[in-house]
Amino acid sequence: MMFATTRRVLEQLRRDHRSVALIMVVPALLLTGVYYLFENETLPPGFPRTFDRVGLMMLAIFPFVVMFLVTSITMLRERTSGTLERLLTTPIHKADLLFGYALAFSIMAALQSLVATAVAYWIFNLDIKGGPGYVVMIAVINAVLGVALGLLCSAFARTEFQAVQFMPVVVIPQILLCGLFVARDHMNSLLEGISNVLPLTFSVDALQQIADNTEATQAMWQDAGVMAAIVVGVLVLASFTLRRRTS
């Protein structure tokens, strides 16, 4: 049942060329914009480029944002069109249905992360100590996190406009407080406490560990494990929002 759902969603995406372009191309294009934003900066010899720090973080943030939008809007269409309700009248279990959607979008998220990471390393010469494999791993987990949160938030929206409005509530605060713009230990105690429990914070910490170390550290694996646990927890929570009948 789960794999049948995954196959159906992937077939729908294959016919929706705009969505595929949004998923696969947009993060790489945004990363290109970040690169050229810092292209003309003047740095002392041996000083690391700003792009090597900011661009690395964008490899996690851009897929997270894009997959949140695509997943929440797609799932909302399934609800409003009646497709989801018809599926739930069959013997399919809600967990099979939800994890089928998650698996389909996670496959697209993995491809998206591979494309964006390849652009960062092979075109813009991203220079960090850690290997690209770990970067891809964190980027994929982060994109899947966007999928999980998109599935959850879609339950509370009635229109696509409302789905987009969850961006300022769910996504933007995490970007502001994850430590990208201001070191978390420089925030006031309230904001630092909030940032310590936000999912995106763990991905930024993991990427910083990759950037500073040639080998995987225990802290990186702990951050990755916490992110994976959050993804599973959000998916389980989202399963409770699936109703057999719409109101």
Side-chain angles (χ1 to χ4, degrees):
M1 289 292 187
M2 183 184 72
F3 292 115
T5 301
T6 299
R7 185 165 54 251
R8 181 183 67 83
V9 175
L10 290 176
E11 284 293 326
Q12 289 179 339
L13 285 173
R14 185 177 63 85
R15 294 191 294 268
D16 189 351
H17 302 295
R18 292 184 179 181
S19 294
V20 172
L22 176 66
I23 294 172
M24 302 300 294
V25 178
V26 168
L29 291 178
L30 293 174
L31 191 66
T32 301
V34 172
Y35 174 80
Y36 285 109
L37 182 66
F38 299 107
E39 182 187 25
N40 295 326
E41 66 176 347
T42 302
L43 297 172
F47 198 83
R49 297 180 304 172
T50 303
F51 175 78
D52 293 332
R53 179 181 67 86
V54 177
L56 176 65
M57 303 307 165
M58 292 300 105
L59 286 175
I61 292 175
F62 287 154
F64 170 74
V65 174
V66 171
M67 293 310 299
F68 176 86
L69 282 174
V70 171
T71 305
S72 59
I73 292 175
T74 301
M75 193 64 174
L76 178 64
R77 287 179 179 175
E78 297 276 74
R79 290 176 185 270
T80 56
S81 66
T83 301
L84 187 62
E85 185 173 348
R86 289 193 296 271
L87 288 171
L88 289 174
T89 60
T90 68
I92 187 173
H93 194 276
K94 290 193 295 183
D96 289 331
L97 181 64
L98 188 67
F99 278 86
Y101 278 101
L103 179 58
F105 285 111
S106 297
I107 292 172
M108 298 302 297
L111 295 174
Q112 175 195 71
S113 299
L114 285 171
V115 171
T117 304
V119 169
Y121 273 91
W122 294 339
I123 297 180
F124 301 131
N125 298 316
L126 182 69
D127 184 17
I128 61 174
K129 293 182 179 180
Y134 295 120
V135 176
V136 171
M137 180 188 70
I138 298 300
V140 169
I141 296 175
N142 220 49
V144 176
L145 174 64
V147 170
L149 288 174
L151 289 172
L152 176 62
C153 292
S154 67
F156 304 99
R158 294 293 178 266
T159 65
E160 293 181 9
F161 178 75
Q162 291 179 5
V164 173
Q165 292 305 303
F166 276 98
M167 280 279 293
V169 178
V170 177
V171 175
I172 294 180
Q174 295 195 60
I175 296 175
L176 294 176
L177 298 178
C178 68
L180 175 64
F181 299 104
V182 179
R184 291 189 291 116
D185 55 0
H186 291 171
M187 300 177 184
N188 67 51
S189 56
L190 175 60
L191 293 180
E192 184 180 2
I194 295 174
S195 70
N196 288 337
V197 298
L198 294 178
L200 199 58
T201 298
F202 295 99
S203 68
V204 169
D205 288 346
L207 288 172
Q208 288 175 340
Q209 290 291 321
I210 297 171
D212 296 336
N213 300 276
T214 56
E215 299 293 336
T217 64
Q218 183 179 359
M220 188 212 74
W221 288 117
Q222 288 177 345
D223 289 330
V226 170
M227 291 170 60
I230 292 174
V231 168
V232 174
V234 172
L235 288 175
V236 172
L237 184 61
S239 68
F240 293 105
T241 68
L242 293 179
R243 297 182 296 272
R244 292 285 175 181
R245 294 181 179 179
T246 56
S247 58

